[in-house]
Structures are given as structure tokens and as C-alpha cells.
């Protein structure tokens, strides 16, 4: 079973911030989740390095475009390393392998008569790297995303016959029984796409004469590929379209393309049309999330209100930062974030609930059993209850990008164990019933192990640490893979009787 997941490739004219991190962290969580479920995962991310915007940014900084791209692309890789992103490959559109893919697709579309030359004059927004009709702009004639006025450009370019794909796209987007059905999520955005599609499609310019920083067309070297066509093709290049046929056949089509709503149109209309034109299968799912604002304002470098991944990691640590960013708001609608909101969630979910469970379970094990898993008749009742709760909701939430819901279920499983501790009152049992005390502590450790396996995609390093702390003897990834195959808990649980526990230290210090 294969699973191919992609993030957008990010423009290198900006530094990576929490918006890019959100898409990449959520993709990473899904990739890790799928691996735990036995899938052979290919997870692609990378940087989008051509176009007028990059050329202008390089000029402003007195660098060559390639110098800027090398420097900025490296920043993205550094940040993904910091955030423990487990990508399979990192594609750069300035790589040789990508030029070959882009040329191949262009030539194919040209040979099929889907590309033709036309002179035109239209409004171009450099921020979006796209043309707009007047009706698509706001009341001041500005682009909705950049709030700037697109400029009139006149060129003779190569156009793609997008209009010819109207019916084919409509069928594939609206009919779930179509063998090439492309599922667009969330529902509201899918409806917007369908609404727009019904208004009719116009042919789109696929090349530029004025933009030198791009990939020359194979049939007319004076023109370069429109940056968006170049960018979309990365999803083919990244899995070996022109250099590793076996890999390409294995992973294509993509199982899910993730992104924010700003680029959903390209992914759900233009991209499928290119693929149909090139005779390639369509991605199975295109899923867009909302836009973040910070304390109610648009995040922007000029306003100085971007949250950087480094700041998040400095404040919460890598694993907690991943968890918080991915679960603070539902995947889909727009959302506002704030440092207060992040810290509140950190304290509630991690310092109080999770941290408390680990800290008191280990403290009791230390006090009553000299930091060893109690030797007792295996008591897996609580672990089974926790497993049942998680099986019912967590799995489908993870499979359907409801990561915040999956985290809620995890938290309720933790609360259940914390409540059980209150009900059992082990500190009282210590005075009256040592056998029951041993059985209870054993049960908390086993229940914690089940919780931690589910936490693994969100917090890979901390989960592994907790797994060792609770005296589970094996490798967590191997154990979790086996567990998720049939969700059966081994007869004696995971924490091994008499195993030495480790002192946790303070996993999640309370923050103010
Ligand atoms: O559009 N809130 O690149 P890009 C949420 N190169 N997500 C955000 C965000 C915010 N405030 N800001 C950025 C491009 N993102 C093209 C893509 S793909 C073939 C080509 C995330 O650098 C989100 O995933 O502008 C959004 O779709 C993406 O960054 C846009 O990145």
C-alpha cells in the first residue's frame, strides 16, 4: 500500500513562517500516521524558485536569482529539520531533473494541439503570479490576497486550451463514481470551485516572454514556462517522472495534495486539466486549509507580526510546537492565532493533562515500587478502555484531516486515566491493599503506552521518551505499527513487569 502526500512548494522570496509550517507539520503528521498504518509513504515538499517575484526579490537584495534561491531554499530545509519533518524528498524547481519534466509535459501538450500562441492584454498580479479579470478584483480594483493593483501587461504568449476541459473537469470533480474522481475538501471550498467552474473556463497563458528567470519552452526558447505550470509539475518530478519510472509508477497519482485556500483553484482545476491533457491519472484528493491571522491581523513581514518556527520552538520545544500548531484550529476554515491561545493550549493539554499523568504515575511508581513496573497479574482493563475510545474516533479523524479532533480524543483518553487515578486513590491503597495498588499502577502505565502510540505522529521525540520512561521494552515505532494493524494489546501489555522506569524530569513545564 502506497501513500503519496505533498505540501505546496514554497516561494523563496519569503522566510518560512507559521503559515508554511502549518501545512508542512500537518502533512508530516499525516505521513507519520500513514507509515504507522503500514503504508509505504512518499512525502514531498520543496521550494518554488522561478518567476518574476523571485527575480525581483533577488534584484532588491543585489543577488543573482540563483544565489537567492540557494540561500532561501536552504532556510526552508533548516526549518523543516528543526521541526523534525520526515519528508522523503525536497524538490527545488531549479534542479535539472525538474527542467526535464517541465519540458516533457509542455512538449506533450503542444504536440496534442492543446497549446497555441495568442496576443493579449490583461491585468497581472506579481504577488499571485497570475492574471486577473476585472470582475475577480475587489471594489478598488485590487487583488483580494495582496491588496495591490495588478498591472496591465501585453504579450504574445502560448495559451493552454483550458476551456476544452470544462466538461471533463466538471464530471471528475462532481461525480464521486467517476473512476477519475478528484475529491476536493473541505465541502464549502469544493462548492466554490464547482460554482466557478459552472461560469465557464477561459484559456490560460502558460508562458512568459518578459520573465527570463524560468524554464524555456522546448518548442520556443524565447519564452519561459509560466511559474505556476512549472510549480505544479514538481509533483511529478519529485517522484521520478523522467528519471525513475518504477518509482513514478509506484507513487503516482498523489493521494493528497495539501495547501491553503489561496492556491486551491490551481490545484483543483488547472492541475487536473494539465494531467488529463498529458494522459496522466488525477490526484485523489485536494485538501485546503484556511488562512491564519495573528491577533486578528494578516501576518506580514512588513507589519512585523509573523511568528517564526524558531520562536515557537524556543518557547514550547519542538514536539509541543508541532502539536500546538497542528491542533489549535480545525483544518479547513480560517483561524486566528495568538501567543496567549497557544500558551493556554500548551498549559491545558500538555503541562496539566499529559504532564500530570506522566509525572504522578512515575512518582507513585517510584514511591511504592522503587521505580519498577509492578509485578502483578496483568490488568489491561483501563488500557482497553483507552484503546476503544481512540479506535472509535481518533483513527477516522486522522484519516480525514481532523487533527484537532484527534487531539481532543487523545486529551479525553488522558483525562479518563487521570480520573481513574482520582477514583482509585492509590495513595490510600498504599495503606490498605498493596496488591490492588500494584494492579492500578500497572494499569496506568499500560494505558499511558496506548496513548503515547497515538501521540507519536504529533510528537515523535517526546513520545519515544515517554515510552522509555514507562518501561516499555521495545522500539515504539515497531510496536505501534504492529498495534495499529489490528489494535490488539499484547497479553502482558507494553510496559514490562519489573522493568526499570526512568525519571521523566519535567516534560512540559508550565508556562506563563
Ligand atoms: O503559493 N495561513 O507559495 P507560497 C495559512 N509557490 N497557510 C499559509 C499562510 C497563512 N497565513 N501563509 C502561507 C505558493 N501559507 C506557490 C505554491 S505549489 C505547486 C506552488 C502556506 O510560498 C499555505 O500552504 O505563497 C499556502 O497555500 C502556501 O503557504 C503558499 O505558499
Amino acid at each position: 500500500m502506497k501513500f503519496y502526500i505533498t505540501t505546496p512548494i514554497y516561494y523563496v522570496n519569503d522566510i518560512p513562517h507559521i503559515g508554511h509550517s502549518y501545512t508542512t507539520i500537518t502533512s508530516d503528521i499525516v505521513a507519520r500516521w500513514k507509515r504507522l498504518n503500514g503504508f509505504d509513504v512518499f512525502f514531498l515538499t520543496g521550494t518554488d524558485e522561478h518567476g518574476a517575484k523571485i527575480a525581483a526579490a533577488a534584484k532588491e537584495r543585489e543577488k543573482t536569482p540563483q544565489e537567492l534561491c540557494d540561500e532561501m531554499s536552504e532556510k526552508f530545509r533548516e526549518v523543516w529539520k528543526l521541526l523534525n519533518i520526515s519528508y522523503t524528498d525536497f524538490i527545488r524547481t531549479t534542479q535539472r531533473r525538474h527542467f526535464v519534466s517541465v519540458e516533457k509535459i509542455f512538449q506533450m501538450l503542444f504536440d496534442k494541439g492543446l497549446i497555441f500562441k495568442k496576443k493579449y492584454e490583461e491585468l497581472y498580479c506579481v504577488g499571485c503570479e497570475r492574471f486577473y479579470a476585472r470582475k475577480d478584483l475587489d471594489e478598488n480594483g485590487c487583488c483580494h490576497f495582496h491588496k495591490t493593483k495588478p498591472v496591465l501587461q501585453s504579450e504574445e504568449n502560448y495559451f493552454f486550451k483550458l476551456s476544452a476541459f470544462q466538461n471533463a473537469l466538471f464530471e471528475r470533480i462532481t461525480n464521486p463514481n467517476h473512476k477519475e474522481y478528484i475529491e476536493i475538501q473541505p465541502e464549502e471550498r469544493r462548492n466554490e470551485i464547482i460554482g466557478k467552474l459552472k461560469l465557464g473556463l477561459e484559456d490560460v497563458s502558460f508562458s512568459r516572454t518578459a520573465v527570463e528567470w524560468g524554464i524555456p519552452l522546448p518548442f520556443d526558447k524565447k519564452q519561459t514556462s509560466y511559474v505556476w505550470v512549472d510549480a505544479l509539475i514538481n509533483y511529478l518530478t519529485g517522484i521520478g517522472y523522467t528519471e525513475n519510472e518504477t518509482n513514478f509508477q509506484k507513487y503516482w497519482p498523489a493521494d493528497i495534495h495539501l495547501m491553503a485556500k489561496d492556491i486551491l483553484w490551481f490545484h483543483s482545476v488547472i492541475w487536473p486539466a494539465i494531467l488529463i491533457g498529458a494522459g496522466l491519472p488525477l490526484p485523489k484528493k485536494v485538501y485546503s486549509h484556511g488562512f491564519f491571522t495573528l491577533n486578528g491581523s494578516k501576518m506580514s513581514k512588513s507589519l512585523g507580526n509573523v511568528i517564526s518556527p524558531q520562536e515557537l520552538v524556543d518557547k514550547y520545544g519542538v514536539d509541543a510546537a508541532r502539536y500546538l500548531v497542528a491542533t489549535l484550529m480545525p483544518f479547513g476554515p480560517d483561524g486566528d492565532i495568538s501567543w496567549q491561545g497557544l500558551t493556554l493550549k500548551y498549559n491545558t493539554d500538555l503541562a496539566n493533562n499529559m504532564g500530570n499523568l506522566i509525572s504522578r504515575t512515575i512518582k507513585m511508581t517510584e514511591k511504592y515500587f522503587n521505580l519498577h513496573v509492578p509485578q502483578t497479574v496483568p490488568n489491561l482493563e483501563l488500557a482497553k478502555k483507552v484503546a476503544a475510545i481512540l479506535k472509535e474516533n481518533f483513527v477516522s479523524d486522522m484519516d480525514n484531516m481532523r487533527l484537532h479532533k484527534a487531539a481532543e480524543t487523545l486529551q479525553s483518553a488522558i483525562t479518563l486515566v487521570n480520573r481513574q487515578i482520582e477514583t482509585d486513590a492509590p495513595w490510600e491503597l498504599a495503606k490498605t491493599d498493596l496488591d490492588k495498588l500494584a494492579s492500578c499502577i500497572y494499569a496506568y502505565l499500560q494505558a499511558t503506552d496506548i496513548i503515547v502510540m497515538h501521540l507519536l505522529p504529533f510528537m515523535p521525540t517526546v513520545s519515544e521518551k515517554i515510552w522509555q520512561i514507562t518501561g516499555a521494552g521495545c522500539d515504539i515505532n515497531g510496536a505501534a505499527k504492529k498495534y495499529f494493524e489490528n489494535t490488539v494489546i499484547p497479553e502482558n501489555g507494553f510496559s514490562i513487569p519489573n522493568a526499570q522506569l526512568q525519571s521523566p524530569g519535567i516534560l512540559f513545564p508550565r508556562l506563563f
Side-chain angles (χ1 to χ4, degrees), residues 7-14 17-24 47-49 53 76 127-128 146 227-235 258-264 266-267 289-293 298-299 329 334-335:
T7 72
I9 46 169
Y10 304 107
Y11 284 130
V12 288
N13 63 329
D14 201 0
H17 58 62
I18 190 169
H20 311 111
S21 306
Y22 180 70
T23 322
T24 309
T47 41
D48 190 354
E49 307 187 5
K53 197 152 71 166
F76 277 90
C128 297
H146 297 91
V227 62
W228 262 103
V229 186
D230 166 349
L232 289 163
I233 293 170
N234 96 84
Y235 299 131
L258 291 182
M259 74 218 64
K261 62 178 187 181
D262 53 338
I263 56 178
L264 184 62
F266 282 101
H267 283 81
H289 60 76
F291 247 60
F292 280 16
T293 48
K298 186 175 184 284
M299 270 189 290
M329 60 183 209
D334 289 343

Side-chain angles (χ1 to χ4, degrees), residues 14 50 63 96 198 230 287 293 362 397 408 417-418 453 499:
D14 201 0
H50 289 128
K63 291 181 192 292
R96 183 73 215 135
K198 279 183 183 158
D230 166 349
Y287 208 138
T293 48
I362 304 298
D397 284 339
E408 273 173 27
V417 183
N418 273 329
M453 285 192 289

Side-chain angles (χ1 to χ4, degrees), residues 39-200:
F39 285 81
D40 174 348
V41 174
F42 200 105
F43 170 20
L44 185 70
T45 190
T47 41
D48 190 354
E49 307 187 5
H50 289 128
K53 197 152 71 166
I54 310 295
K59 200 168 173 198
E60 208 175 279
R61 289 171 226 187
E62 294 180 353
K63 291 181 192 292
T64 66
Q66 191 63 57
E67 278 167 353
L68 179 77
C69 293
D70 290 347
E71 188 185 303
M72 295 303 291
S73 177
E74 182 58 27
K75 284 203 192 328
F76 277 90
R77 279 195 300 279
E78 280 166 12
V79 161
W80 302 153
K81 193 168 176 206
L82 175 75
L83 291 172
N84 203 356
I85 303 299
S86 61
Y87 59 77
T88 315
D89 202 347
F90 186 100
I91 179 155
R92 299 184 54 187
T93 53
T94 49
Q95 287 166 338
R96 183 73 215 135
R97 59 173 175 164
H98 187 59
F99 275 60
V100 183
S101 294
V102 171
E103 281 168 2
K104 183 167 167 185
I105 293 287
F106 259 99
Q107 191 65 53
M108 209 183 294
L109 298 177
F110 186 72
D111 292 346
K112 287 189 181 175
L114 292 167
I115 287 191
F116 64 98
K117 215 169 184 183
K118 183 174 115 172
K119 198 167 175 121
Y120 69 98
E121 192 177 68
E122 261 181 286
L123 293 162
Y124 194 72
C125 170
V126 178
C128 297
E129 292 277 21
R130 61 170 287 193
F131 288 101
Y132 279 108
R134 278 190 206 278
K135 67 176 168 43
D136 294 327
L137 302 172
D138 70 11
E139 64 280 10
N140 302 317
C142 295
C143 136
H144 289 279
F145 290 105
H146 297 91
K147 303 289 173 211
T148 50
K149 280 198 174 139
V151 286
L152 208 56
Q153 274 192 10
S154 166
E155 274 185 32
E156 188 173 42
N157 289 153
Y158 288 93
F159 272 66
F160 175 59
K161 283 189 185 161
L162 184 64
S163 57
F165 294 88
Q166 167 97 16
N167 293 339
L169 287 170
F170 196 79
E171 259 292 289
R172 286 161 176 78
I173 290 173
T174 56
N175 178 6
N177 298 322
H178 197 287
K179 64 176 190 330
E180 284 272 86
Y181 177 58
I182 167 165
E183 183 186 345
I184 299 171
Q185 286 283 352
E187 206 54 34
E188 311 81 84
R189 303 233 183 276
R190 174 178 183 265
N191 292 337
E192 280 169 23
I193 297 284
I194 294 173
K196 226 171 138 188
L197 205 51
K198 279 183 183 158
L199 298 176

